């Protein structure tokens, strides 16, 4: 854990957040400044700064984070309902200044709900 890192502190319970999911490796909670009606962040407990810092050892963790996205989307009413349905969601990982990353602790955004959304 990095004491200076906001997501480490949320994952450790040192800063309160409404966790919508937690297990030994991952937590998820609503974005404080939502860009869409549903905007969740999936965050590993381990401090990895960016997607570009991930190594082979992190493949299972990355898979878990991506695999969690459709489940959390479904639980928040924006799950994929097939190509004819209205449901569905966006998964997003920003990396570095060029990618618009603001918090340097790896996270997957899950966005969904009626548009328009704020640009993200
Ligand atoms: P990034 O641009 O790094 O991909 O996204 C960081 C996201 O974290 C932003 O959407 C921002 O609103 C969110 N965020 C920043 N600080 C906090 C916080 O303290 N709590 C929560 N829940 N979200 C935060
Ligand atoms: Zn961290």
């Amino acid at each position: 854990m990095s004491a200076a890192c906001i997501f480490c502190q949320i994952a450790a319970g040192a800063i309160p957040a409404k966790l919508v999911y937690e297990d030994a490796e991952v937590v998820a909670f609503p974005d404080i400044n939502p860009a869409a009606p549903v905007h969740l962040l999936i965050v590993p407990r381990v401090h990895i700064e960016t997607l570009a810092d991930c190594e082979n050892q992190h493949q299972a963790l990355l898979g878990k984070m991506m695999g969690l996205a459709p489940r959390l989307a479904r639980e928040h009413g924006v799950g994929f309902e097939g190509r004819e349905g209205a449901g569905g969601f966006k998964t997003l990982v920003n990396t570095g200044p060029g990618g618009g990353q603001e918090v340097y602790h790896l996270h997957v955004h899950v966005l969904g709900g009626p548009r328009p959304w704020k640009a993200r």
Side-chain angles (χ1 to χ4, degrees):
M1 145 145 182
S2 162
C5 172
I6 191 98
F7 286 177
C8 278
Q9 292 183 61
I10 289 174
I15 291 180
K18 192 191 95 187
L19 299 187
V20 298
Y21 177 86
E22 70 174 311
D23 66 23
E25 295 167 319
V26 171
V27 298
F29 48 86
D31 195 294
I32 202 169
N33 182 22
V38 173
H39 188 170
L40 304 173
L41 302 173
I42 301 174
V43 176
R45 291 187 186 274
V46 63
H47 182 82
I48 303 167
E49 289 211 339
T50 79
L51 184 61
D53 294 303
C54 288
E55 299 176 358
N56 284 346
Q57 69 195 76
H58 299 120
Q59 283 185 8
L61 179 64
L62 290 170
K64 175 184 253 193
M65 291 167 71
M66 291 306 281
L68 202 49
R71 169 180 159 181
L72 294 181
R74 191 169 61 246
E75 290 176 358
H76 290 79
V78 297
F80 181 55
E81 303 163 339
R83 290 170 61 177
E84 311 306 324
F89 55 93
K90 176 179 285 192
T91 44
L92 186 67
V93 181
N94 298 321
T95 303
Q101 185 172 3
E102 292 168 11
V103 175
Y104 278 79
H105 179 129
L106 177 68
H107 52 282
V108 174
H109 296 256
V110 179
L111 302 117
R115 294 172 190 263
W117 299 350
K118 281 189 229 162
R120 192 60 253 194

